[in-house]
Amino acid sequence: MCGIVGYIGKKNTKKILLDGLKELEYRGYDSAGIAVLQQGEFSSYKATGKLINLQEKTKDFITDKFAVGIGHTRWATHGKPTELNAHPHVGESSYVVHNGIIENYAELKKELLTNGVTFLSQTDTEVIVHQFEKNLKTVSSPFEAFKETISQLQGAYAILLVTKSEPETIFFAKNGSPLLVGIDTDNDKYFASSDTPLIGYCSDVNYFEDGEYGYVTPDTLRIYSKEHQLQEPHFTKLPTNKLSAQKDGYRFFMEKEIYEQHDVITDTLLGRLSESSVHFDELETDFFEGIEEIKLCACGTSYHAALTASYLFERNSKIKTSVEVASELRYREPILSKDTLFVVISQSGETADTLETLKMAKNAGLKTLVICNVDNSSMVRLADASLLTRAGVEKGVASTKAFATQVTIFWMLSLYVAKEREALSQAEIIEQVALLREVPSSVKVSDALHERIKRLSKRYLHGHGFFFIGRDIFFPLALEGALKLKEISYLHAEGYPSGEMKHGPIALADPELFTIALLPQHLLYEKAKSNVEELSARDATICAISPLVFDKADDFIQTQSHKHYMLEFFEMMVILQLLSLEISIRLGNDVDMPRNLAKSVTVE
Ligand code: M6R
């Protein structure tokens, strides 16, 4: 997804912009560019593909004086990933970078074209710079022109604009796409669309709210609310530790993040468990009062965590629970009743569809909760309450540790609600709280396990597809296993409830159809086993994952013997993540930045 950086000051602007863009690489992009205004002249460079191409193009470009600069990594939405479509976009004497989508760009463009403006790109973004320059001709100052431009835009945006008509200024605006400004000890200002590019440069940052706009100069930072009131900035401390954002010797961030699950789940549990109950300081004691139903809503992997949660809520908390794909819920005019707690789940807290459903629920007067990994993200700021997953920065596009911590939080929350509603006995809660403490060890990767999966992976590089199958709560895990495999290996994979195979999919069974079968000991083992036997009888190639030896499988990964199905769930989750990782590595794919995908999907 697109990323933005900006800087105003006397330091090495080119380096600051390129370093910042590098930090945003993990979000996924297909082109990048910078524009720097130095001594009254603009220099702009753009390149498609990886950042190395932009670095190569700018290698002789020197920024050793006061300058204002903006940079962008683009993930194509309107127009192909070409150099012309890459940001920054240029007008007569101004440049703009933009994240989001300008919904009324076609109308604005039509009018600008009638006025004789020439467009160089196919993007929605380019209208911003031309509209600004058009306004500049009729109002008293560049700031007024910028303000006027913002009021003419509909849609979602984070915008930085620089112009020769005010060469010591960066104009900014934010609505629906994240943007923050940081300052360093020399009072130089930095912009970014997430905080990672600013770590190491700034100690304090201000996250802009929707509708805010304004400008920075070497001495000033002016922020206006959407009601055009001057705002005081609210600076908060930026984390300083960049180490966790590096690979630590692993081949890929995804691999590092799989191994980190033991530690991050420990953090997720920290301070939230006592002997006999679960505590969330973040929730008011009466938070669940009057709540008769839970509606969970998310996208992708977070949706699979939501599906998993629905089994836990109904089984443990005895509360009616439904699950929604955010992009579907948005437009299907759902009936939302006020005794429903609306829960959104998101690693990033910025996913556009999920964020919009949160707004919908709020507008309908529902109580809202977000399960999120990123503090200060849009969803965390908007929801009535938030539970942070504490997974740390997740750089691999394929979500792993975020999912693990989301499921952990949900298991805890189901017990928290169970206690409130007296849905489980005290003894049952004590038993599950003790089991929760065993989750970190259930996700520890042993050398033997990783080695086994590495060897096995070479047998699964071809064929005409994969089925991941499981029953009950292992069905959402099967869906997640299939998503993991397809997004990084580009092999076709589907997740199915084991019992559904005979209703159609089994027709595909043959030796070139690979079935990854989840066979936990403590949940419907016999039933799931017969479903796998049906596939085996039709000569499908089967890789069974179970603590109990299963001789009808072609391959078998034996898990540890756990006391409870949730511990089996977590161990199998790791196995599926490692299997996808190793298949993808053998196929020579870019594991951390798979094709066509972005880490944070901030457009619908
Ligand atoms: O940041 P979010 O959790 O809201 O992101 C939702 C999905 O885009 C995300 O989980 C996606 O499916 C991942 N690539 C899966 O690995």
Side-chain angles (χ1 to χ4, degrees):
M1 197 52 49
C2 305
I4 283 181
V5 292
Y7 170 71
I8 176 165
K10 288 192 187 135
K11 301 191 178 78
N12 186 344
T13 306
K14 177 183 91 174
K15 181 174 180 332
I16 291 169
L17 296 179
L18 293 181
D19 285 356
L21 293 180
K22 186 97 197 125
E23 289 298 329
L24 291 171
E25 263 196 316
Y26 72 97
R27 293 166 59 88
Y29 66 103
D30 38 48
S31 58
I34 59 170
V36 176
L37 180 56
Q38 194 177 214
Q39 293 191 304
E41 287 309 320
F42 269 116
S43 309
S44 174
Y45 301 87
K46 299 184 192 191
T48 53
K50 299 282 172 190
L51 265 183
I52 185 85
N53 302 337
L54 184 63
Q55 282 158 346
E56 187 56 31
K57 278 196 168 180
T58 53
K59 69 176 190 299
D60 299 325
F61 173 49
I62 295 166
T63 47
D64 55 0
K65 303 187 178 52
F66 171 84
V68 294
I70 54 178
H72 193 265
T73 44
R74 173 172 187 261
W75 187 72
T77 51
H78 289 81
K80 292 201 174 338
T82 60
E83 243 177 62
L84 275 180
N85 286 335
H87 303 211
H89 288 287
V90 64
E92 282 169 29
S93 57
S94 319
Y95 278 88
V96 72
V97 290
H98 159 231
N99 283 356
I101 289 183
I102 305 299
E103 284 168 0
N104 60 334
Y105 89 101
E107 293 155 45
L108 295 172
K109 185 168 176 174
K110 197 167 158 203
E111 202 177 319
L112 289 161
L113 284 169
T114 333
N115 296 343
V117 174
T118 310
F119 278 78
L120 299 175
S121 76
Q122 303 157 302
T123 66
D124 53 334
T125 300
E126 198 183 339
V127 297
I128 303 171
V129 70
H130 296 307
Q131 193 67 28
F132 167 76
E133 294 192 332
K134 179 182 168 192
N135 293 335
L136 202 50
K137 293 180 182 133
T138 56
V139 298
S140 57
S141 69
F143 175 59
E144 286 303 319
F146 184 71
K147 188 174 157 186
E148 177 70 8
T149 307
I150 296 309
S151 71
Q152 293 162 323
L153 302 179
Q154 287 164 18
Y157 49 79
I159 294 170
L160 297 182
L161 184 143
V162 288
T163 176
K164 273 191 186 178
S165 51
E166 202 158 303
E168 298 199 350
T169 303
I170 298 179
F171 296 102
F172 63 83
K174 185 244 189 254
N175 191 40
S177 292
L179 186 67
L180 58 145
V181 64
I183 44 170
D184 68 11
T185 43
D186 300 321
N187 201 26
D188 286 357
K189 282 113 191 144
Y190 302 70
F191 288 93
S193 48
S194 74
D195 47 26
T196 24
L198 305 190
I199 297 175
Y201 284 109
C202 307
S203 55
D204 296 275
V205 291
N206 172 86
Y207 297 88
F208 294 116
E209 298 294 332
D210 277 349
E212 286 186 341
Y213 67 97
Y215 61 89
V216 296
T217 68
D219 310 314
T220 51
L221 162 60
R222 288 270 184 276
I223 307 172
Y224 294 88
S225 67
K226 64 168 171 261
E227 293 81 23
H228 312 297
Q229 300 300 312
L230 193 60
Q231 303 291 300
E232 279 303 312
H234 294 290
F235 281 104
T236 52
K237 288 276 168 226
L238 193 62
T240 50
N241 184 0
K242 258 195 176 173
L243 249 192
S244 64
Q246 288 159 6
K247 282 189 205 154
D248 277 352
Y250 291 99
R251 293 166 294 175
F252 293 95
F253 281 113
M254 181 185 175
E255 183 178 32
K256 173 175 171 268
E257 287 157 6
I258 293 171
Y259 274 76
E260 270 175 5
Q261 291 179 120
H262 168 273
D263 294 342
V264 297
I265 293 177
T266 306
D267 287 345
T268 307
L269 298 174
L270 206 71
R272 285 167 164 165
L273 297 183
S274 73
E275 190 90 340
S276 58
S277 57
V278 174
H279 304 283
F280 288 112
D281 290 341
E282 303 89 329
L283 300 180
E284 299 284 338
T285 45
D286 61 355
F287 189 74
F288 281 90
E289 225 165 72
I291 297 298
E292 292 304 328
E293 190 178 336
I294 296 177
K295 194 177 268 300
L296 303 155
C297 185
C299 302
T301 287
S302 295
Y303 170 73
H304 297 152
L307 272 179
T308 307
S310 68
Y311 289 81
L312 293 169
F313 282 130
E314 296 212 328
R315 189 162 283 148
N316 281 341
S317 330
K318 313 278 184 281
I319 187 162
K320 191 173 163 198
T321 307
S322 57
V323 191
E324 306 273 357
V325 171
S327 55
E328 284 299 307
L329 185 74
R330 278 183 74 173
Y331 299 106
R332 71 168 178 77
E333 299 175 28
I335 295 166
L336 299 170
S337 60
K338 293 216 171 103
D339 60 357
T340 301
L341 174 68
F342 192 82
V343 185
V344 286
I345 305 94
S346 176
Q347 187 286 127
S348 61
E350 304 295 347
T351 302
D353 284 318
T354 312
L355 182 59
E356 285 308 315
T357 62
L358 176 59
K359 291 179 188 166
M360 260 173 73
K362 284 209 75 141
N363 290 339
L366 272 65
K367 194 178 266 187
T368 58
L369 171 69
V370 57
I371 311 298
C372 191
N373 194 34
V374 182
D375 198 3
N376 281 314
S377 59
S378 303
M379 288 183 216
V380 168
R381 281 181 282 126
L382 191 64
D384 296 320
S386 55
L387 296 176
L388 293 178
T389 44
R390 305 178 183 165
V393 176
E394 188 181 65
K395 284 209 162 195
V397 163
S399 191
T400 51
K401 60 178 182 168
F403 176 75
T405 53
Q406 287 166 345
V407 175
T408 306
I409 288 265
F410 276 128
W411 189 6
M412 283 194 278
L413 193 61
S414 71
L415 298 180
Y416 181 94
V417 180
K419 184 154 187 157
E420 299 252 312
R421 295 170 62 87
E422 297 177 2
L424 288 180
S425 70
Q426 188 59 26
E428 286 168 312
I429 294 180
I430 291 175
E431 191 192 338
Q432 289 201 44
V433 166
L435 290 166
L436 266 165
R437 295 183 197 281
E438 293 182 34
V439 177
S441 54
S442 73
V443 296
K444 216 163 183 143
V445 184
S446 69
D447 289 349
L449 175 69
H450 199 159
E451 203 41 49
R452 167 107 184 92
I453 294 174
K454 228 179 241 177
R455 289 183 64 79
L456 212 77
S457 61
K458 64 174 177 286
R459 297 163 67 157
Y460 294 94
L461 308 177
H462 60 290
H464 56 67
F466 286 75
F467 279 129
F468 285 70
I469 59 170
R471 292 188 83 120
D472 199 279
I473 204 163
F474 289 81
F475 162 53
L477 183 59
L479 288 174
E480 175 57 11
L483 176 63
K484 228 51 336 147
L485 183 71
K486 70 185 135 196
E487 69 181 327
I488 61 171
S489 72
Y490 320 142
L491 296 169
H492 180 69
E494 281 187 82
Y496 259 101
S498 310
E500 270 291 297
M501 298 306 285
K502 60 170 80 68
H503 299 287
I506 205 166
L508 289 172
D510 72 15
E512 294 297 292
L513 176 84
F514 303 138
T515 299
I516 312 295
L518 305 177
L519 291 170
Q521 181 180 4
H522 296 296
L523 201 60
L524 302 171
Y525 176 76
E526 289 302 331
K527 300 220 175 284
K529 190 170 137 222
S530 4
N531 297 140
V532 182
E533 280 165 355
E534 287 155 13
L535 277 158
S536 171
R538 282 147 188 96
D539 230 8
T541 298
I542 291 168
C543 174
I545 306 174
S546 179
L548 305 176
V549 174
F550 180 64
D551 54 16
K552 302 259 170 34
D554 301 86
D555 283 314
F556 179 59
I557 301 173
Q558 188 157 27
T559 54
Q560 298 165 56
S561 174
H562 292 286
K563 292 179 220 137
H564 190 270
Y565 66 84
M566 280 308 290
L567 298 176
E568 302 191 278
F569 178 101
F570 280 103
E571 187 180 350
M572 290 186 189
M573 171 198 76
V574 173
I575 290 170
L576 297 183
Q577 293 167 342
L578 288 171
L579 188 63
S580 299
L581 173 85
E582 291 305 332
I583 291 176
S584 174
I585 293 175
R586 280 189 188 273
L587 292 171
N589 298 342
D590 187 343
V591 172
D592 287 329
M593 274 183 276
R595 69 184 186 202
N596 304 336
L597 292 178
K599 180 67 186 163
S600 182
V601 185
T602 50
V603 290
E604 75 169 304

